[in-house]
Amino acid sequence: MTDRDLAREKAAKLLKKQGSVSSLASSEVIKFHKVGSMSTVSVTEDTGHHDFKPPVKFENTYQLAPNKRFPSAKVKNVIRDVIEGYLAEEKYEPELCRQMTKTLSEIIKARVKEMMIPRFKIICTVHIGELKNSGLWVGSRCLWDASCDTYSTFEYRNKTLFAIGTVFGIYYE
């Protein structure tokens, strides 16, 4: 054995001890490079077999319209229950309301998903603002199929704040 081979084996054993190389099989390629006074070791592992699982493919259903319509009235009741339950005694505070919009949106979305509405994507938005003599216009844009896609909205006001909750039901084809 040459000095070079001994150095390779020593470096491979050292790397194995340090945990840098998980296992040294015969199919691994170890290269040593010497640059000036520094040495570097490159390890390439090719085990020869891979645990490759092809992705699961689903058949197209060719269902272009939903079997049941989106239950707008039930979804509106969910929005009403959540917003009235959480904001009934709240006063407007910007930091609290910023976090509350995220929380309410997630709660409403989870409650609507519990309804198990098949083949509809659920998008939920909540806007909270202070009640002062001002207005708010909320606009939304998306690719819309008027025969299948729909939404439910609920507006709430107390002494210091207002809230608008909207849930969009977008049909998956």
Side-chain angles (χ1 to χ4, degrees):
M1 258 188 164
T2 65
D3 290 337
R4 186 177 227 180
D5 293 333
L6 288 172
R8 283 183 188 173
E9 285 184 36
K10 190 174 182 181
K13 286 180 185 178
L14 182 63
L15 286 173
K16 188 174 182 180
K17 275 186 183 177
Q18 293 176 348
S20 297
V21 178
S22 60
S23 64
L24 292 174
S26 61
S27 61
E28 293 180 353
V29 178
I30 301 174
K31 295 181 182 177
F32 292 89
H33 304 284
K34 187 157 185 161
V35 180
S37 64
M38 288 182 38
S39 297
T40 60
V41 179
S42 302
V43 178
T44 306
E45 187 175 334
D46 183 21
T47 59
H49 62 83
H50 300 284
D51 294 334
F52 176 74
K53 294 180 182 177
V56 178
K57 293 186 179 182
F58 294 102
E59 294 284 329
N60 287 335
T61 61
Y62 301 106
Q63 184 177 350
L64 300 177
N67 291 335
K68 291 193 275 181
R69 303 246 334 132
F70 187 78
S72 297
K74 289 181 182 178
V75 172
K76 185 172 185 172
N77 289 336
V78 167
I79 300 169
R80 176 184 297 123
D81 292 344
V82 171
I83 289 179
E84 285 179 348
Y86 279 84
L87 298 179
E89 300 298 322
E90 290 293 328
K91 292 188 165 108
Y92 181 78
E93 295 174 23
E95 290 301 316
L96 174 70
C97 289
R98 180 170 19 142
Q99 186 60 38
M100 190 64 81
T101 57
K102 296 174 189 174
T103 304
L104 290 175
S105 181
E106 291 298 320
I107 292 169
I108 292 169
K109 186 175 180 181
R111 296 253 320 255
V112 172
K113 283 188 173 187
E114 285 175 2
M115 296 170 69
M116 304 290 284
I117 305 167
R119 300 184 71 116
F120 277 93
K121 181 175 184 170
I122 307 300
I123 302 167
C124 182
T125 63
V126 174
H127 302 278
I128 299 175
E130 186 174 14
L131 265 182
K132 288 194 170 178
N133 293 327
S134 61
L136 174 71
W137 287 64
V138 177
S140 302
R141 288 181 136 180
C142 70
L143 191 57
W144 194 264
D145 180 4
S147 65
C148 301
D149 302 336
T150 189
Y151 68 96
S152 294
T153 189
F154 176 73
E155 298 174 26
Y156 173 78
R157 289 185 185 150
N158 67 15
K159 294 178 183 176
T160 61
L161 60 83
F162 67 91
I164 302 167
T166 307
V167 173
F168 297 94
I170 310 299
Y171 181 68
Y172 279 151
E173 289 184 354

